[in-house]
Amino acid sequence: MWASNASMALVTCPSRAACACTSSPSISFFSQSNSYSSTESLIVRRASWRRAGIAGPARVLRVMATADLEKSGAGAVEAEEPVKIDRKTADWQKAQKVMEDGTIHRGRVDACNSGGLLVRFGSLQGFLPFSQMDSGRIPKDGSKALAEIAKELVGDLVSVKMIEVNESERRLIFSERQAVLEENLRLVEEGSVYNGKVNSVTDFGAFVDLALPDGTSSVSGLVHISELSWDPVRNPRDLLEEGQMVRVKVIQLDKERKRLALSIKQLETDPLLETLDTLMPVQTQVASEPIEQDAELIGTSLPGLEQICEELLNEEGITGVTLGRTRLEKRVVSQDLELWLANAPVEGGKFSLLARAGRQVQEVQLNTSLDREGIKEAVQRVIGRVP
């Protein structure tokens, strides 16, 4: 056999033009070892060359130890063109790059089985599990079985993302759900308002499917419990139910993590930004005399308001707090004491707040050197300190 220190080179047959062996190509092995004094020949048919993946007519090559080349006095060494990389190997490499780049692949569905779909990727077949199919394909009423849906997709093109590429284990796994989500997120704009349908309600909020501008796509986002209402919400199920139509605002769009944060309350007026005169017009104070029971309520101090006024005086920039107009509303907004800010700017060092609890509303006037934003921050700090 070959000596361990023998190096190898490829040369063309010296008499290639007139060589009689061109009709029966051969490879000759020459060893540096003295174990073999004669040449061993191996006849290789053209068909064998084709199976080996070598294009064009077979060429006669001698594989010789470098020392033998020197002894033979052979001159120039002509290298044979490299054998092309196996197509499947190349496709595995391409699949790996597609996954790393996060590219969406459009592949044809070749077939289906009991677990999912077989999707074409070049010379490879990848697997799309039913669990990774776009949920929009699956009717919630159960009118179609997964097997029926899968059969209808055979021959169609689907958009998928690669979520696993493992050449050694021959595993190529796709996700249509991730691809559809990424494509739909491109249609969503942060700050925009959409109609949506409540998909599910949980203890921490509600998932809403947005109806996107193209009329066919949808994408699901979360309305966190803190974004359901300006009023405290203990159980989201008290406000929403599955299938309910709502309007939501996109407040955060994370395309990298494929997450969508929505809000319902931000489509309503922030109580801290409410115009005081809208809720308490001056003329309503003299429009009619309150009935006896209402008069008694109006004369009652709002619980906790005195403590809040004292805390406001502890805020830097607030030098005076006095109580102003009072009135009763027709309905109970909240039994808890709330503070709202007027929309009007600070004028002459004066600014008005609105305290409310139950049906009772009380104006609170501030003497301050703060601007409106500074007052809002001061009020929020006070609310955080007062139990």
Side-chain angles (χ1 to χ4, degrees), residues 253-289:
L253 175 59
D254 189 338
K255 293 186 178 181
E256 184 175 342
R257 300 170 66 190
K258 299 180 180 61
R259 291 185 179 179
L260 201 60
L262 310 174
S263 176
I264 291 177
K265 79 176 187 181
Q266 291 194 26
L267 294 179
E268 302 170 355
T269 304
D270 181 346
L272 291 180
L273 301 178
E274 184 67 46
T275 302
L276 179 67
D277 288 339
T278 300
L279 298 170
M280 188 184 291
V282 176
Q283 61 269 27
T284 61
Q285 193 69 19
V286 297
S288 60
E289 293 294 327

Side-chain angles (χ1 to χ4, degrees), residues 126-171:
F127 185 58
L128 171 60
F130 285 139
S131 61
Q132 291 296 328
M133 282 179 59
D134 176 21
S135 58
R137 295 188 183 277
I138 306 170
K140 287 192 173 183
D141 58 6
S143 57
K144 276 189 177 182
L146 282 174
E148 185 180 354
I149 297 171
K151 287 180 181 178
E152 292 176 352
L153 288 173
V154 174
D156 290 351
L157 289 172
V158 294
S159 296
V160 292
K161 293 268 287 188
M162 293 184 186
I163 58 177
E164 183 178 350
V165 178
N166 190 324
E167 181 180 2
S168 61
E169 296 184 10
R170 295 295 189 266
R171 286 175 61 83

Side-chain angles (χ1 to χ4, degrees), residues 22-267:
T22 54
S23 60
S24 300
S26 65
I27 297 180
S28 297
F29 296 86
F30 291 86
S31 172
Q32 200 172 359
S33 170
N34 294 327
S35 302
Y36 296 89
S37 58
S38 60
T39 301
E40 291 183 352
S41 296
L42 173 65
I43 304 301
V44 183
R45 297 187 182 276
R46 282 189 174 85
S48 299
W49 287 83
R50 286 196 296 269
R51 283 197 296 273
I54 300 177
R59 298 175 64 181
V60 181
L61 301 178
R62 288 181 183 175
V63 184
M64 308 176 66
T66 304
D68 293 329
L69 287 172
E70 294 173 353
K71 290 177 184 178
S72 67
V77 176
E78 180 186 342
E80 179 68 8
E81 66 178 86
V83 177
K84 291 182 180 179
I85 298 175
D86 178 80
R87 184 182 176 190
K88 289 199 173 186
T89 300
D91 284 343
W92 278 111
Q93 293 173 355
K94 182 180 178 182
Q96 184 66 39
K97 188 175 188 307
V98 168
M99 185 177 74
E100 291 172 356
D101 293 345
T103 307
I104 294 177
H105 169 64
R106 289 279 289 173
R108 191 172 302 280
V109 179
D110 284 346
C112 62
N113 56 34
S114 59
L117 306 173
L118 300 178
V119 179
R120 174 64 52 185
F121 181 82
S123 61
L124 309 176
Q125 267 190 342
F127 185 58
L128 171 60
F130 285 139
S131 61
Q132 291 296 328
M133 282 179 59
D134 176 21
S135 58
R137 295 188 183 277
I138 306 170
K140 287 192 173 183
D141 58 6
S143 57
K144 276 189 177 182
L146 282 174
E148 185 180 354
I149 297 171
K151 287 180 181 178
E152 292 176 352
L153 288 173
V154 174
D156 290 351
L157 289 172
V158 294
S159 296
V160 292
K161 293 268 287 188
M162 293 184 186
I163 58 177
E164 183 178 350
V165 178
N166 190 324
E167 181 180 2
S168 61
E169 296 184 10
R170 295 295 189 266
R171 286 175 61 83
L172 183 60
I173 310 299
F174 296 126
S175 172
E176 183 185 32
R177 178 176 296 177
Q178 291 189 21
V180 170
L181 176 59
E182 185 171 312
E183 287 181 331
N184 289 346
L185 283 176
R186 295 172 182 170
L187 303 174
V188 178
E189 294 183 6
E190 191 168 309
S192 297
V193 177
Y194 299 92
N195 292 320
K197 184 177 182 180
V198 178
N199 184 303
S200 61
V201 184
T202 69
D203 292 338
F204 55 85
F207 289 94
V208 176
D209 293 334
L210 306 187
L212 298 183
D214 66 356
T216 59
S217 303
S218 68
V219 61
S220 182
L222 173 65
V223 183
H224 191 266
I225 186 171
S226 62
E227 292 295 330
L228 290 173
S229 173
W230 291 109
D231 295 324
V233 179
R234 292 183 174 84
N235 188 348
R237 296 174 182 84
D238 294 337
L239 299 180
L240 298 175
E241 60 183 16
E242 188 174 324
Q244 181 177 342
M245 300 302 297
V246 293
R247 281 180 64 78
V248 294
K249 180 180 179 180
V250 178
I251 58 175
Q252 186 176 9
L253 175 59
D254 189 338
K255 293 186 178 181
E256 184 175 342
R257 300 170 66 190
K258 299 180 180 61
R259 291 185 179 179
L260 201 60
L262 310 174
S263 176
I264 291 177
K265 79 176 187 181
Q266 291 194 26
L267 294 179

